[in-house]
Amino acid sequence: MRQPSLIARRVAAASVGLVVAAGAAACGPEDNDAKGAGGDSTPHKGGTLTVLNSQPQSDFDPARLYTSGGGNVPSLVFRTLTTRNRENGAAGAKVVPDLATDTGRPNKDATVWTYTLKKGLKYEDGTPITSADIKYGIERSFAPELSGGAPYLRDWLTGAAKYQGPYKDKKGLAAIETPDARTIVFHLNKPEGEFPYLATQTQFAPVPQAKDKGTKYEEHPVSSGPYRVVRNDNDGEHVLLERNPHWSGDDERKAYPDTIDVRSGLDSSVINQRLSSSQGADAAAVTTDTNLGPAELARVSGDKKLADRVGTGHFGYTNYIAFNPKVKPFDNPKVRQAIAYAVDRSSVINAAGGSALAEPATTFLPDQKSFGYTPYDPFPAGKSGNPAKAKELLKEAGYKKGLTVTLTHSNSKDFETSPEIATALQDALKKAGITVKLQGLEDNDYRDKIHSVKTEPGFFLAHWGADWPSGGPFLAPIFDGRQIVKDGANFNTGLLNDTSVNDEIDAINKLTDLNAAATRWGALDKKIGEQALTVPLFHPVYKRLYGSDVKNIVISDWTGVLDISQVAVK
């Protein structure tokens, strides 16, 4: 994750836009079975599923997307070496084979990964999928004109840092070998035990070189999945998918509907109204990026039939206070600790929409096993804060009469960094003798300010979401000192460069036992948390409606988005 500007697009745009509105998460309907309206709960093939989204499915090219981008729509067309397990909740946070026969075979130190493709795989036109196609698909993702996807490969692959893609460099990447049509080998410049997670990214989708049209490939990408693109209007505002007759060898995607009709660019209130009414084609509709707001949720909760059509979930996402210890008075740990004790999480939760939409957080890692979640609270202050303890620490820090600080936040109405959250913190800290002045900025100005080492304020609101369900992409970008970017978008908000932390990150990355790695990530989270470089506030909860004729709801802890590949319609 050494290209934070690209990560920002995913975490700040996709995570804020798609994750907050869109959601993230985990457990399907309240009874968590595979039912829809009507008496028969058994999913059947056929029909048309409509997807109603606010964000357009733009840049429909595997080089420019994340696997979870656009609410799983891309994964209906682009298969990858591995994929997420298509099950509810925690079971859905596991990585499983997709085009490959297994999740990868590492050498002793996890610097070489080998995959074998399943037999008989074909594109939508019936031609065979080969390892060379996967290599080419990855290589074209390095082309500057196709930027926007996951940046890890440039860092992880040996000799890839300056590669500019196959349009400029015909030699290709020597770090990727294809000894035969079904075998592909990756050579990494450092151990990466989580490579199977990375192999779920859409950059690992096969692209036949003969069909590559550069930036125009998105208009008709060649399908390796259960559906093919038959229409793509206005850069993703209307995408129509129909069955790929040559799709086979897929144990994960159910692909029940005959047609997927994706309609985007809609107002969120319109989407929720249409799903609520479920009239005509909207009865067989879902959304993958529009959450219910507090007022809408209150109305829905009072109607049992509507409440039964709400999917609930939790994604790997944390909203937190960030400190810059280079800025006074936040260079004093006791000041940071005092603020941690003074925070009233109950008022923050209310400002975020209430307990149905937000859960209090005392750990930076989300409350999910796959991340390595280890319960801890280094500054226990109860639900409503401990102003007395905060005053005591301020006195020890030399601020017996209290102090005045400025809290920077976005004026955006997303509930993560909103004025409402900032005001709740202002009120809580006042009880501890801390006067908080609020600096609200327009969203672009806010992002520019907090992600620049030169302009980063001392005290601000921030958030982070993971690219896959592990502690690695959650902790490393925020706390690895080697990822501090001095002349670009920086996400190490505490400017932490602790050798022991960096070394532990390297040690965990060598582990191919993901359960053992998770335990270590949890322990590292606790160690870092004790330094009070951040104050975790809450993890969002997502509530999304679906149509009355929709069956087989699956929402995993990996994406938190209703999985279209599992849905059936009546």
Side-chain angles (χ1 to χ4, degrees):
M1 247 171 162
R2 298 184 197 275
Q3 291 188 12
S5 60
L6 296 183
I7 293 298
R9 243 171 263 158
R10 199 271 190 191
V11 175
S15 287
V16 174
L18 290 181
V19 172
V20 169
C27 48
E30 295 302 325
D31 55 4
N32 209 23
D33 68 4
K35 75 177 183 179
D40 184 7
S41 64
T42 303
H44 298 286
K45 287 201 170 187
T48 296
L49 173 70
T50 300
V51 181
L52 304 175
N53 281 347
S54 59
Q55 298 294 321
Q57 181 54 72
S58 59
D59 299 327
F60 206 84
D61 185 313
R64 308 183 73 172
L65 295 167
Y66 278 77
T67 300
S68 57
N72 301 314
V73 172
S75 73
L76 299 175
V77 177
F78 308 124
R79 293 180 65 185
T80 45
L81 286 176
T82 60
T83 189
R84 57 191 179 275
N85 191 32
R86 308 306 174 100
E87 293 187 29
N88 276 308
K94 297 177 181 178
V95 61
V96 294
D98 192 358
L99 292 174
T101 57
D102 55 31
T103 57
R105 302 181 297 281
N107 67 344
K108 187 175 182 180
D109 66 354
T111 58
V112 179
W113 286 83
T114 302
Y115 290 86
T116 302
L117 299 186
K118 296 173 181 175
K119 295 180 179 179
L121 298 171
K122 295 179 180 179
Y123 290 111
E124 64 180 73
D125 60 3
T127 58
I129 296 171
T130 69
S131 57
D133 297 336
I134 294 175
K135 173 180 167 69
Y136 181 75
I138 292 171
E139 289 173 341
R140 67 190 294 275
S141 73
F142 283 75
E145 58 266 49
L146 295 177
S147 63
Y152 301 94
L153 282 164
R154 189 174 293 279
D155 285 346
W156 288 16
L157 289 175
T158 301
K162 296 182 179 180
Y163 182 62
Q164 294 296 300
Y167 310 140
K168 293 183 179 180
D169 186 348
K170 304 295 183 181
K171 294 180 180 179
L173 284 168
I176 305 176
E177 296 178 334
T178 53
D180 59 57
R182 291 182 53 218
T183 305
I184 187 165
V185 184
F186 299 91
H187 296 268
L188 313 183
N189 57 32
K190 61 185 186 300
E192 295 291 355
E194 295 188 357
F195 194 83
Y197 283 121
L198 182 64
T200 67
Q201 303 292 306
T202 53
Q203 287 72 29
F204 286 78
V207 174
Q209 186 172 359
K211 299 291 181 68
D212 184 14
K213 296 182 180 180
T215 58
K216 293 186 177 181
Y217 184 70
E218 67 177 32
E219 296 173 6
H220 191 110
V222 184
S223 174
S224 53
Y227 296 92
R228 58 190 180 92
V229 178
V230 295
R231 184 172 179 178
N232 185 350
D233 297 338
N234 298 324
D235 194 20
E237 283 194 6
H238 181 203
V239 177
L240 186 65
L241 307 179
E242 293 181 354
R243 287 196 182 280
N244 170 9
H246 296 285
W247 169 61
S248 66
D250 191 340
D251 298 326
E252 294 302 316
R253 300 162 184 81
K254 301 301 183 186
Y256 290 117
D258 291 330
T259 304
I260 310 286
D261 192 356
V262 184
R263 306 277 180 160
S264 304
L266 304 173
D267 183 84
S268 60
S269 61
V270 171
I271 292 172
N272 283 322
Q273 179 57 45
R274 289 176 61 174
L275 291 172
S276 174
S277 299
S278 282
Q279 298 296 313
D282 291 343
V286 299
T287 181
T288 64
D289 77 354
T290 299
N291 201 36
L292 289 167
E296 292 168 319
L297 185 60
R299 180 178 62 83
V300 168
S301 298
D303 184 326
K304 187 177 185 307
K305 289 184 178 180
L306 281 179
D308 285 343
R309 292 197 278 116
V310 174
T312 302
H314 308 76
F315 172 68
Y317 205 78
T318 300
N319 299 271
Y320 62 99
I321 293 171
F323 297 112
N324 181 348
K326 305 293 184 183
V327 176
K328 290 182 178 298
F330 308 106
D331 57 335
N332 190 323
K334 290 187 181 296
V335 171
R336 305 197 301 266
Q337 293 169 17
I339 291 174
Y341 276 108
V343 168
D344 181 343
R345 286 184 175 82
S346 294
S347 65
V348 170
I349 295 299
N350 288 335
S355 58
L357 295 175
E359 296 175 343
T362 63
T363 65
F364 194 78
L365 287 178
D367 183 6
Q368 296 174 29
K369 182 180 178 181
S370 62
F371 286 94
Y373 170 71
T374 300
Y376 72 91
D377 187 353
F379 313 107
K383 295 181 179 179
S384 302
N386 188 339
K389 179 66 175 178
K391 289 180 179 179
E392 179 185 323
L393 286 164
L394 287 177
K395 183 178 179 181
E396 294 176 10
Y399 297 97
K400 183 178 180 179
K401 296 182 179 180
L403 79 164
T404 299
V405 296
T406 298
L407 175 65
T408 301
H409 64 90
S410 170
N411 285 329
S412 171
K413 288 300 180 181
D414 75 70
F415 68 23
E416 302 174 312
T417 58
S418 68
E420 290 78 9
I421 300 294
T423 300
L425 292 170
Q426 181 185 49
D427 293 341
L429 269 59
K430 184 177 182 180
K431 298 175 184 178
I434 303 172
T435 299
V436 177
K437 296 180 179 180
L438 300 182
Q439 182 185 45
L441 301 176
E442 293 308 303
D443 204 45
N444 287 337
D445 293 337
Y446 157 78
R447 296 184 196 285
D448 290 344
K449 187 176 183 68
I450 70 170
H451 292 315
S452 170
V453 169
K454 297 176 182 178
T455 61
E456 182 184 303
F459 183 36
F460 58 98
L461 295 179
H463 42 79
W464 191 253
D467 288 326
W468 56 75
S470 162
F474 216 90
L475 295 182
I478 310 300
F479 301 111
D480 186 336
R482 296 157 300 185
Q483 296 205 31
I484 295 174
V485 180
K486 295 182 180 180
D487 297 313
N490 174 65
F491 290 85
N492 186 329
T493 52
L495 303 177
L496 179 66
N497 192 7
D498 184 326
T499 301
S500 66
V501 171
N502 298 345
D503 289 347
E504 178 63 2
I505 289 173
D506 288 345
I508 301 173
N509 283 338
K510 294 179 181 178
L511 301 177
T512 55
D513 181 338
L514 299 181
N515 290 325
T519 300
R520 296 271 289 270
W521 288 125
L524 182 60
D525 183 29
K526 182 177 181 181
K527 175 183 176 179
I528 296 171
E530 292 168 351
Q531 299 187 44
L533 293 170
T534 65
V535 181
L537 296 175
F538 65 93
H539 306 302
V541 179
Y542 303 98
K543 303 279 186 176
R544 279 175 301 283
L545 274 170
Y546 54 89
S548 58
D549 286 347
V550 175
K551 304 177 180 181
N552 215 47
I553 303 302
V554 174
I555 306 176
S556 76
D557 283 356
W558 187 307
T559 68
V561 178
L562 180 147
D563 195 332
I564 300 176
S565 74
Q566 307 301 301
V567 167
V569 295
K570 189 169 75 171

